[in-house]
C-alpha cells in the first residue's frame, strides 16, 4: 500500500512537471539563448545531485556508469538539444509537439520487433492519443513548418525514443540503484555535453537578469528533478511504451501552464484534444504494472530517459 499511491500518482505528476519546462523556457527566452539556459540548468542540477549521492555514499561500477552515460546523452542531451534547436529554427510549438507525439508509436513498433507485443488495444490507444495531440495543438501543427526545424525536432524525438528502447533492452548491472542515481549520472553527462556546445558557440556566459535565474531554478526544480525524475520512475514501473504514451497529454497541459502563468488563450479545441488524448492513454494502459518492476522499483532494471 505504501508504494501503490506514488505509483498511481506518478503519471499525473509526470505530465504536469514535464509540461512545466515550457514555463521555464518562456521565462529565459527573452534574455538568453536556449543553449545558455540548458547549460546553466545543468550547472545547478548536476553538482546538486552529486552532493546528494556523495552524502549518501553511493557507489557505481564502470558498467553502470557506461550505461547511464549513453542513456543520458540520448535522453537528456540529445532530446533537449534537438527540441531547442527546432524552436530556434522557427518551428511552431504545435508542430514540435505533433512530431514529438510520434514517439509512443515508434517505441511500440521497435519493441515489437524484439518480441514485446502490444496488440490491437495498444495500437488503437496510440492512434486515438495522436489524434488528441493533433486537436490540442490545432492549426499551429501545420502552419509555418520549416524543414530545418522539423528535422531537429525529429532528431530530438528519435534520441528520446532510442533512450527509452535502449534502457528497456540493455540489461543493467546487478547493483542496487534507483532514480536518484540515474539523475545524478545522467545529469553530469548532460552538463559535459552542454558545456562543450555552449563554449564552442560562445554562449556560455549567463545574463545579468533575475528572470534568467528564476527560469534556471524553475527548470531544475520542476522540469529536471520533477519532470525527468517522474519520467524515470514511470518508465521503471510501467515500461517505455506507457511512459511515452503519457506524454501525449503534455501539449495540452503546456497550454494550460501558458494560460495560468502568462494569460495566453486556452482554446476549447485544446481542451477537447486533451480529453481525446487521455482516452487514448487509458485505452493503451495495461491492466497492471510491469511484473518485474512493481515488486521493488529500486532494484529493477535501470530506465532510460526526458525534459
Amino acid at each position: 500500500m505504501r508504494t501503490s499511491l506514488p505509483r498511481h500518482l506518478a503519471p499525473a505528476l509526470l505530465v504536469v512537471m514535464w509540461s512545466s519546462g515550457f514555463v521555464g523556457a518562456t521565462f529565459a527566452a527573452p534574455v538568453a539563448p536556449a543553449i545558455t539556459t540548458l547549460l546553466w540548468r545543468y550547472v545547478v542540477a548536476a553538482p546538486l545531485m552529486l552532493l546528494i549521492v556523495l552524502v549518501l555514499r553511493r557507489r557505481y561500477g564502470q558498467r553502470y556508469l557506461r550505461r547511464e552515460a549513453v542513456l543520458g546523452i540520448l535522453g537528456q542531451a540529445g532530446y533537449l538539444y534537438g527540441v531547442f534547436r527546432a524552436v530556434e529554427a522557427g518551428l511552431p510549438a504545435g508542430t514540435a509537439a505533433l512530431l514529438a507525439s510520434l514517439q509512443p508509436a515508434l517505441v511500440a513498433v521497435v519493441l515489437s520487433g524484439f518480441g514485446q507485443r502490444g496488440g490491437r488495444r495498444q495500437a488503437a490507444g496510440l492512434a486515438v492519443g495522436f489524434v488528441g495531440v493533433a486537436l490540442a495543438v490545432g492549426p499551429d501543427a501545420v502552419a509555418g513548418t520549416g524543414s530545418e526545424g522539423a528535422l531537429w525536432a525529429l532528431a530530438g524525438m528519435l534520441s528520446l525514443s532510442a533512450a527509452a528502447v535502449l534502457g528497456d533492452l540493455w540489461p543493467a548491472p546487478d547493483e542496487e540503484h534507483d532514480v536518484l542515481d540515474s539523475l545524478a549520472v545522467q545529469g553530469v553527462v548532460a552538463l559535459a555535453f552542454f558545456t562543450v556546445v555552449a563554449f564552442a558557440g560562445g554562449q556560455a556566459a549567463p545574463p545579468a537578469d533575475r528572470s534568467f535565474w528564476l527560469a534556471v531554478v524553475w527548470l531544475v526544480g520542476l522540469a529536471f528533478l520533477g519532470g525527468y525524475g517522474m519520467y524515470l520512475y514511470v518508465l521503471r514501473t510501467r515500461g517505455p511504451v506507457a511512459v511515452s504514451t503519457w506524454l501525449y497529454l503534455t501539449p495540452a497541459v503546456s497550454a494550460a501552464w501558458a494560460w495560468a502563468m502568462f494569460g495566453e488563450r486556452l482554446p476549447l479545441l485544446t481542451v477537447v484534444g486533451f480529453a481525446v488524448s487521455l482516452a487514448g492513454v487509458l485505452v493503451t494502459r495495461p491492466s497492471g504494472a510491469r511484473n518485474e518492476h512493481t515488486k521493488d522499483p529500486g532494484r529493477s532494471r535501470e530506465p532510460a530517459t526526458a525534459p
Side-chain angles (χ1 to χ4, degrees):
M1 291 296 294
R2 286 182 297 177
T3 60
S4 178
L5 184 59
R7 190 166 61 241
H8 283 83
L9 290 178
L13 292 174
L14 162 67
V15 172
V16 172
M17 293 185 179
W18 187 280
S19 304
S20 72
F22 167 83
V23 178
T26 302
F27 281 145
V31 296
I35 194 65
T36 306
T37 304
L38 288 171
L39 169 63
W40 284 91
R41 161 178 165 159
Y42 286 100
V43 167
V44 174
L48 174 63
M49 300 307 302
L50 276 179
L51 177 62
I52 293 174
V53 297
L54 287 174
V55 170
L56 296 177
R57 297 184 178 181
R58 301 293 180 96
R59 296 292 184 269
Y60 310 117
Q62 290 187 1
R63 289 179 58 202
Y64 179 78
L65 291 175
R66 284 196 299 268
R67 183 177 183 275
E68 291 300 313
V70 172
L71 299 181
I73 286 292
L74 290 171
Q76 294 206 48
Y79 168 68
L80 289 172
Y81 188 64
V83 170
F84 276 84
R85 284 298 302 268
V87 173
E88 286 187 337
L91 189 72
T95 309
L98 194 63
L99 293 174
S101 68
L102 296 172
Q103 184 202 355
L106 177 62
V107 170
V109 168
V110 173
L111 288 178
S112 68
F114 290 90
Q116 299 187 24
R117 299 181 179 179
R120 295 180 179 178
R121 174 178 173 177
Q122 183 184 86
L126 291 172
V128 171
F130 184 81
V131 171
V133 173
L135 291 172
V137 300
D140 285 345
V142 294
T145 303
S147 58
E148 180 184 356
L151 288 174
W152 277 114
L154 284 172
M157 182 273 293
L158 290 172
S159 188
L160 185 59
S161 301
V165 172
L166 188 60
D168 190 67
L169 298 177
W170 188 350
D174 294 329
E175 305 171 15
E176 292 189 15
H177 296 307
D178 54 25
V179 170
L180 176 64
D181 301 303
S182 293
L183 284 173
V185 178
Q186 295 185 25
V188 170
V189 171
L191 171 60
F193 175 87
F194 287 118
T195 297
V196 171
V197 175
F199 274 95
Q203 297 179 315
D209 192 291
R210 293 176 57 186
S211 62
F212 175 79
W213 296 109
L214 173 62
V216 169
V217 171
W218 185 284
L219 289 170
V220 170
L222 290 182
F224 177 72
L225 296 177
Y228 192 65
M230 285 296 102
Y231 181 92
L232 291 173
Y233 180 80
V234 175
L235 180 61
R236 180 187 298 271
T237 56
R238 296 173 182 263
V241 176
V243 73
S244 299
T245 306
W246 278 102
L247 298 184
Y248 273 147
L249 303 178
T250 56
V253 177
S254 294
W257 272 111
W259 169 75
M261 298 293 295
F262 308 114
E264 295 186 11
R265 190 173 64 92
L266 184 62
L268 177 60
L269 195 60
T270 298
V271 179
V272 174
F274 175 86
V276 174
S277 292
L278 180 59
V281 170
L282 296 178
V283 169
T284 306
R285 186 181 62 177
S287 57
R290 305 173 74 178
N291 292 335
E292 72 271 24
H293 291 262
T294 54
K295 293 180 181 179
D296 188 356
R299 300 190 62 179
S300 61
R301 289 183 298 171
E302 291 302 314
T305 55

